[in-house]
Amino acid sequence: MRIRKSFEQAICILLLIGTSEGPLKSHELSKMLDVSDSYLKKVTRQLVVAGLITSKASKLGGFILNKKMNDISFLDIFEAIEGKEKFIETTHLVDKVFDPALNIQHTEDIIINHLDAAENQYKQKLKEINLGEITNYVHQNS
């Protein structure tokens, strides 16, 4: 599994919005992060759809958080960017490799159960980390 750059970008976008004294426009965010404005807009759109931020259209508008930073976990961000689908969906190709008499289904189930457990542990760890903790850590160690 590989985490996409958009996950990191989403975390940074939310941290900037959450620590800003007012709404931030997409061009301001892209300039601060030194990233493409068009790509940033795709990421912010995913954050809007997930309900993490709102876009206020006006001269003084921009993006604002919908929740407190302590209430936004890395899992919320991960699911906004990557979706909520399971990591592993078997295609049962192993059935075509081995003799059906070998009870391959049971072996496949064991493998899937281990991978599901790993996914659950990963997501649990992401759920334990929130944006408020990150900003607190930065301020304590600066």
Side-chain angles (χ1 to χ4, degrees):
M1 187 184 95
R2 185 174 181 176
I3 294 175
R4 294 186 296 167
K5 291 178 186 177
S6 53
F7 178 59
E8 177 188 11
Q9 214 175 68
I11 292 169
C12 292
I13 289 166
L14 292 168
L15 287 168
L16 284 170
I17 294 169
T19 57
S20 173
E21 294 188 19
L24 287 174
K25 298 183 183 311
S26 67
H27 72 275
E28 294 171 318
L29 289 164
S30 64
K31 186 175 180 181
M32 289 176 190
L33 294 173
D34 193 25
V35 297
S36 155
D37 191 47
S38 62
Y39 187 70
L40 184 129
K41 285 179 180 175
K42 291 177 185 176
V43 175
T44 55
R45 179 73 189 134
Q46 291 174 297
L47 296 173
V48 168
V49 169
L52 299 177
I53 60 174
T54 299
S55 176
K56 297 201 175 220
S58 73
K59 184 177 180 181
L60 300 174
F63 293 104
I64 58 169
L65 294 182
N66 282 342
K67 302 177 179 181
K68 294 179 181 173
M69 298 232 308
N70 288 337
D71 295 332
I72 300 175
S73 72
F74 275 29
L75 179 60
D76 296 327
I77 303 165
F78 180 83
E79 288 180 342
I81 300 303
E82 301 291 342
K84 294 183 180 185
E85 296 81 27
K86 296 184 68 53
F87 291 0
I88 302 294
E89 290 293 331
T90 183
T91 58
H92 305 291
L93 283 176
V94 74
D95 295 344
K96 297 177 182 2
V97 177
F98 297 105
D99 182 345
L102 295 175
N103 195 14
I104 299 305
Q105 184 59 49
H106 179 68
T107 304
E108 183 180 73
D109 290 345
I110 290 170
I111 293 168
I112 295 300
N113 287 340
H114 284 294
L115 294 173
D116 283 345
E119 176 182 345
N120 291 335
Q121 287 177 349
Y122 178 73
K123 287 183 174 180
Q124 181 58 43
K125 196 63 179 171
L126 289 177
K127 192 175 184 177
E128 293 172 9
I129 308 164
N130 67 61
L131 295 178
E133 289 177 43
I134 302 302
T135 55
N136 289 340
Y137 180 78
V138 168
H139 292 297
Q140 289 173 357
N141 294 299
S142 55

